Amino acid sequence: MSKTNQNVDGGSVFRVDKFVVPAAAREEILAKVRTTHELLRLQQGFVQDFLLEQFSGPGEFNLVTIVEWESQAAVDNVVPIVKAAHERIAFNPQETIARLGVRADIANYQRVPGL
């Protein structure tokens, strides 16, 4: 595993997905996010999740999801589960994002020690 894919302190891992969602795509994206998060909540190592929508301010991203996992191992375990579930319902996230004109910034984060 590369250093960039590790949680150095072994604590929680936060998956943060930030989206610029055109108004016309909002309902479809929210439906897909809800479906995916219903699955995530059932997985071992899941801690909590948030679906946030911007209502003021100059920020670029108008939809943000945050999922807290107990560890990087939990994240690694859930990836194939989500992929298989998406395949079963013929959902391709990359195709959907491209088709709807959504821009995404997706990464895993960890807490900064000492804060």
Side-chain angles (χ1 to χ4, degrees):
M1 182 183 308
S2 75
K3 181 85 169 162
T4 58
N5 199 26
Q6 288 185 18
N7 181 2
V8 245
D9 71 1
S12 292
V13 172
F14 298 84
R15 167 68 181 251
V16 180
D17 297 356
K18 299 178 285 188
F19 302 99
V20 177
V21 180
R26 181 182 180 274
E27 291 308 314
E28 184 173 344
I29 290 296
L30 285 175
K32 299 299 188 191
V33 166
R34 286 183 181 115
T35 299
T36 299
H37 280 242
E38 287 171 5
L39 173 64
L40 297 178
R41 289 182 195 116
L42 301 174
Q43 303 310 308
Q44 186 173 358
F46 172 88
V47 177
Q48 63 181 334
D49 64 336
F50 300 93
L51 171 55
L52 308 172
E53 187 169 32
Q54 180 184 14
F55 69 93
S56 69
E60 164 182 31
F61 299 101
N62 58 339
L63 191 66
V64 176
T65 66
I66 302 170
V67 179
E68 181 180 0
W69 296 96
E70 289 178 352
S71 64
Q72 183 62 48
V75 174
D76 294 342
N77 289 337
V78 80
V79 169
I81 293 168
V82 171
K83 184 177 179 183
H86 285 170
E87 287 173 359
R88 278 193 301 278
I89 61 171
F91 171 53
N92 180 322
Q94 292 78 18
E95 183 279 329
T96 301
I97 285 171
R99 176 176 52 81
L100 295 174
V102 171
R103 284 192 309 109
D105 178 39
I106 297 171
N108 290 337
Y109 293 80
Q110 61 189 17
R111 292 177 197 247
V112 175
L115 288 181

